Amino acid sequence: MKKININAPSRNYDVFIGNNVINKYSSKINSLAGYNDSIIIVDSNVYRLHKEKIESMIKGLKGNVVVYKFKADEKNKSLDSLKKIFDLMLRKNLGRSSFLIALGGGITGDLGGFAASVYARGIGYIHIPTTLLAMVDSAIGGKTGINYGHTKNIIGSFYQPESVLIDTEFIKTLPRDELLCGLGEVIKYGLLIGDDFFDYVAKNYRKAFDYNYSFLNKVIRESVSLKGSIVEKDENEKSGLRKILNLGHTFAHAIEVEQNHKIKHGQAVIAGIACALHLSNKLGMMNDEYLEKYLSLIIEFRNEIKLKQYNPETLYKIMFRDKKNKKGSINFVLLEKAGKLIIDAEADKRDALYAINNGLQYFCE
Ligand SMILES: NC(=O)c1ccc[n+]([C@@H]2O[C@H](COP(=O)([O-])OP(=O)(O)OC[C@H]3O[C@@H](n4cnc5c(N)ncnc54)[C@H](O)[C@@H]3O)[C@@H](O)[C@H]2O)c1
C-alpha cells in the first residue's frame, strides 16, 4: 500500500492507494473522518457490482450508517439529487457530527463532496473513487460541484476530503470505455509532467485494458502526486498554477454539452486535448514535430470515440460562456511541449474554430 500526503492550505490529508484498501481500513474510517454517524453516497451500479465488498466495509463502520444509492449520470449530478440527499440526512438526524462517504466515480465524488461542503456548513467526507478517472484525477484536489441548466460544474465549492481511499480492486469491473476515460486524464498528466512520463504512457497504455496492475498503480501514483503537489501550491486556482490541470478541458466541457452528454467526460478530454494541441500549434507555441508526436497517441483512440455531427459555432458559444473566461476572450491552457504549459493563452474565434475542426476531425463518423 502506498500513502501520499497532500498538505493543502485548508486541510492536510492522506491518499491511500492499494488493493482492498477499504476493507483493510474499514475499522479506521471513523477515526480518519473524526466522527461516528455517516451517510454513504454510492453509485448504484458500483453497489451492485461490489455488494459484498461494500457491505463488509459498512460492517466495519461505527455509529448509524445511512446509505443513499443513485444512478450516477450527469443528469443526476443535480440540485434535485442534492435535495434528496439533504432530505434523507435530515430524516435520519445526521447533524454536524456526522460525515459523508462518496463511493463511486467522478459524478458521485463531485455530488457527494458538494453535499458535504454545504450540509450543516460543512461536514467531513471520505472519498472512495471507483473509476480510473476518479482515482487519477477527480478524487484529488477538492473540486466539488453539480451541473445546472446546460452548464457543467457551475455550482460547487473547493472542499478537501478528510482522506481518499483508492482501492484498486474496483478497477477489475471497469468496462473498456471507462478505462479509456481514465486514460484520457492519464494522457493529460503525461503532457503536464513531461516527455518521460508521456512516453511511458504512450508505450504502455494498452496494459490498462489488460488490467495490468503494475501499469495502473504507476499511473495512479504519478497522477495523484502531481495533482497533490499542484493543489498544495494553488488550492483554489488563484495563482494560476492549478489552471494547468484544465488542459483540454475548455474544449472537453463544451463537447460534452454540445453532444448532449452522449460522450463521456474522459472521451471528451481526449478529443479536447487534440483541439488544444492543434491550437498550440496554430498559435506558434508548439512545433510540428511535437504536434505529430502527441497526436500520434491521441489518434490511437479514433475508433473508440465517436462524435455525432457537431456544430462548431455552438461549441464556440458554449466555450465562450465557460466560467474560466475573462471578458471578451476565451482563455486556454496550451503547451509548447510536455511539461511546458502556457496558461491564459488567448485565441480569437477563427483560431478556436480551427482548433475545434482540426481536433475533432479524428472522431467524426
Ligand atoms: N472534481 C474534479 O476535479 C473532477 C475532475 C475530472 C472529472 N470530474 C467529473 O467527474 C465526472 C466523470 O467521472 P467518471 O468518469 O468517474 O464517471 P462516473 O462517475 O459517471 O462513472 C462512469 C461509469 O462507470 C460506472 N462505474 C463506476 N465505478 C465502477 C466500477 N468500479 N466498475 C464498473 N463500473 C463502474 C458508473 O456507474 C458510471 O456508469 C464528470 O462529471 C466530471 O465533470 C471532476
Side-chain angles (χ1 to χ4, degrees):
M1 201 210 40
K2 169 97 180 155
K3 184 166 92 172
I4 296 174
N5 177 257
I6 300 182
N7 191 5
S10 71
R11 187 164 290 150
N12 184 338
Y13 60 98
D14 289 322
V15 180
F16 300 89
I17 307 167
N19 206 20
N20 266 324
V21 159
I22 65 164
N23 302 101
K24 287 177 194 147
Y25 269 80
S26 63
S27 61
K28 296 199 186 103
I29 290 179
N30 292 93
S31 55
L32 286 172
Y35 289 109
N36 273 351
D37 296 345
S38 55
I39 178 162
I40 307 180
I41 310 296
V42 54
D43 173 333
S44 50
N45 201 15
V46 177
Y47 198 97
R48 182 180 52 81
L49 291 166
H50 296 273
K51 196 166 185 286
E52 219 176 292
K53 181 179 180 63
I54 293 170
E55 288 180 352
S56 132
M57 177 198 85
I58 291 174
K59 275 200 191 113
L61 296 174
K62 301 188 186 95
N64 289 333
V65 183
V66 177
V67 179
Y68 175 82
K69 292 181 210 153
F70 80 114
K71 184 172 185 299
D73 59 24
E74 291 290 343
K75 279 200 198 87
N76 285 335
K77 198 171 133 179
S78 64
L79 269 184
D80 196 44
S81 298
L82 269 185
K83 184 178 174 314
K84 288 181 184 148
I85 292 169
F86 296 151
D87 283 344
L88 179 64
M89 292 175 84
L90 280 168
R91 245 192 352 265
K92 298 287 179 181
N93 291 320
L94 293 180
R96 278 203 115 153
S97 45
S98 56
F99 69 100
L100 185 149
I101 297 175
L103 203 167
I107 288 182
T108 311
D110 282 7
L111 174 71
F114 185 55
S117 77
V118 290
Y119 187 77
R121 297 203 179 85
I123 58 172
Y125 82 107
I126 302 269
H127 203 141
I128 304 176
T130 62
T131 60
L132 180 60
L133 182 140
M135 293 178 188
V136 296
D137 193 58
S138 68
I140 311 300
K143 269 194 186 178
T144 79
I146 56 167
N147 305 324
Y148 189 75
H150 291 299
T151 309
K152 267 199 64 134
N153 303 332
I154 190 70
I155 297 176
S157 60
F158 286 101
Y159 196 64
Q160 304 295 339
E162 305 289 336
S163 182
V164 180
L165 305 179
I166 299 183
D167 188 328
T168 49
E169 183 82 7
F170 283 111
I171 296 175
K172 288 192 174 141
T173 54
L174 276 180
R176 186 180 171 96
D177 57 346
E178 295 302 338
L179 289 164
L180 174 78
C181 285
L183 283 175
E185 297 286 359
V186 171
I187 292 168
K188 178 189 84 177
Y189 283 105
L191 291 169
L192 298 184
I193 292 172
D195 278 308
D196 283 355
F197 185 56
F198 180 88
D199 293 345
Y200 171 80
V201 174
K203 187 162 169 242
N204 293 289
Y205 78 87
R206 287 178 200 81
K207 293 182 179 168
F209 300 121
D210 298 330
Y211 304 90
N212 176 312
Y213 273 82
S214 144
F215 172 78
L216 292 165
N217 275 308
K218 181 173 167 72
V219 297
I220 293 169
R221 283 199 308 266
E222 293 283 345
S223 306
V224 170
S225 298
L226 180 80
K227 188 160 184 185
S229 69
I230 291 171
V231 169
E232 287 178 350
K233 295 186 198 98
D234 183 20
E235 183 177 11
N236 295 346
E237 217 167 280
K238 286 270 157 55
S239 77
L241 178 64
R242 188 169 177 161
K243 285 187 187 165
I244 64 170
L245 296 169
N246 295 327
L247 177 66
H249 281 60
T250 301
F251 290 103
H253 286 160
I255 295 166
E256 284 177 80
V257 173
E258 197 267 348
Q259 295 283 303
N260 208 11
H261 297 299
K262 294 273 169 1
I263 179 166
K264 290 170 189 284
H265 176 75
Q267 295 174 323
V269 167
I270 295 178
I273 290 174
C275 299
L277 291 171
H278 276 288
L279 188 55
S280 305
N281 179 256
K282 177 80 169 58
L283 297 182
M285 295 161 182
M286 176 181 288
N287 67 32
D288 293 348
E289 210 179 304
Y290 280 122
L291 176 69
E292 204 179 313
K293 169 180 168 165
Y294 303 136
L295 276 177
S296 65
L297 172 57
I298 300 285
I299 292 169
E300 301 252 327
F301 302 106
R302 66 193 310 167
N303 294 327
E304 308 205 43
I305 301 171
K306 286 284 165 228
L307 296 181
K308 282 196 282 111
Q309 273 299 341
Y310 66 89
N311 183 333
E313 289 285 339
T314 310
L315 274 165
Y316 180 77
K317 272 193 209 134
I318 298 169
M319 290 199 299
F320 203 80
R321 65 157 203 252
D322 186 291
K323 59 189 181 289
K324 290 169 198 86
N325 298 335
K326 281 191 192 141
K327 223 175 176 185
S329 69
I330 303 183
N331 295 312
F332 294 93
V333 180
L334 300 178
L335 70 170
E336 197 181 310
K337 60 185 282 237
K340 284 208 131 189
L341 280 293
I342 299 140
I343 58 166
D344 291 335
E346 287 184 25
D348 63 21
K349 183 171 176 185
R350 205 180 37 139
D351 289 334
L353 289 176
Y354 169 93
I356 289 169
N357 288 324
N358 279 277
L360 299 190
Q361 63 176 312
Y362 315 111
F363 309 108
C364 288
E365 310 204 292

